[in-house]
Amino acid sequence: MNVEQARFNMIEQQIRPWDVLDTSVLGLLSMVRREDFVPAAHRSQAFMDVELPLGQGRNLLAPRVEARLVQDLNLSKRDTVLQIGAATGYVTALLAHKSQRVIALEADAALVSAARANLRQAGVSNAEVVQGDGTQGLAAQAPFDAILLCGSVPEVPQALLDQLKVGGRLLAVVGSEPVMQATLFTRGEGNQFSRQALFDTVVQRLPGFTEPSRFHF
């Protein structure tokens, strides 16, 4: 396999057609080696338009979904980001290049170890991976400029929304099969939140986000 040709084809044939047009994101996809974050057994599929199994019921998101989420979070180099669901650390690396600091929560101990090793190998120094319950976020480090949930949830817990700064954004895929939408929540003054549906997709559930909680806007 010609790796660079496969990477180019992934970007041009999968990702651009999915309205990922931000040149900074497209540049990152060329630079950050996705294959280094994929388990060895699936490395030949690193650039395919599929979710890849990680074991224990976990998957890597498809490349086009990863890229679109990173783009639509609209990060700046001043931002502190909380990521829920680090998996192998690939999206963590993309977020780190776009922001000042990333804290990535991951429930699975084996994935925590893998993500830390992958980020070290990739030379990413402004991201840390913490083992913990993503449903509760990381209140001790809050507030955050942005929060990204790398997987689907039935609805976003208020505990996560409350960890946003005023003007902060949270992006998550919300809903249940077969209807899910990537939804951007923005915090206004006080406890006012707006929500905007961005695109339709279906992705794997994040661990722990199985029962709907109750919250109101």
Side-chain angles (χ1 to χ4, degrees):
M1 179 176 68
N2 182 326
V3 171
E4 294 310 319
Q5 185 64 51
R7 193 187 326 278
F8 177 84
N9 291 343
M10 174 189 75
I11 293 169
E12 296 301 320
Q13 297 172 12
Q14 299 172 35
I15 292 171
R16 273 190 192 272
W18 240 50
D19 290 330
V20 180
L21 304 175
D22 184 323
T23 55
S24 68
V25 174
L26 295 172
L28 277 180
L29 298 173
S30 296
M31 183 183 74
V32 179
R33 295 169 56 86
R34 190 175 197 267
E35 66 273 24
D36 291 345
F37 292 84
V38 172
H42 299 284
R43 202 150 288 163
S44 63
Q45 300 171 287
F47 307 110
M48 295 178 66
D49 185 23
V50 294
E51 292 192 5
L52 297 178
L54 299 174
Q56 303 299 316
R58 296 291 300 284
N59 290 348
L60 273 181
L61 297 176
R64 59 187 167 85
V65 176
E66 294 171 331
R68 184 72 189 270
L69 291 173
V70 171
Q71 172 186 267
D72 290 358
L73 201 53
N74 193 28
L75 295 173
S76 81
K77 293 296 288 183
R78 299 181 301 276
D79 287 342
T80 297
V81 183
L82 177 65
Q83 179 193 7
I84 309 295
T88 62
Y90 177 65
V91 173
T92 313
L94 298 178
L95 296 172
H97 283 286
K98 293 280 290 175
S99 64
Q100 183 177 81
R101 181 186 181 213
V102 180
I103 305 172
L105 277 176
E106 173 55 54
D108 184 277
L111 288 178
V112 169
S113 297
R116 287 173 176 167
N118 291 338
L119 290 166
R120 278 196 303 272
Q121 181 183 356
V124 176
S125 60
N126 62 327
E128 60 181 300
V129 182
V130 177
Q131 186 172 358
D133 177 8
T135 64
Q136 298 303 308
L138 204 60
Q141 300 279 350
F144 299 98
D145 297 288
I147 300 175
L148 177 62
L149 280 63
C150 286
S152 67
V153 296
E155 54 187 40
V156 177
Q158 188 67 43
L160 294 183
L161 293 169
D162 288 343
Q163 292 176 32
L164 288 173
K165 292 180 180 178
V166 173
R169 294 94 57 211
L170 182 150
L171 182 54
V173 176
V174 181
S176 298
E177 290 191 74
V179 180
M180 298 182 183
Q181 288 185 317
T183 305
L184 183 68
F185 298 80
T186 303
R187 183 169 195 165
E189 295 294 336
N191 290 317
Q192 298 300 310
F193 296 88
S194 64
R195 61 188 293 167
Q196 177 187 5
L198 301 180
F199 59 93
D200 295 335
T201 189
V202 174
V203 299
Q204 188 185 47
R205 270 283 185 262
L206 275 169
F209 291 84
T210 53
E211 294 299 327
S213 59
R214 295 180 179 178
F215 70 98
H216 302 281
F217 289 103

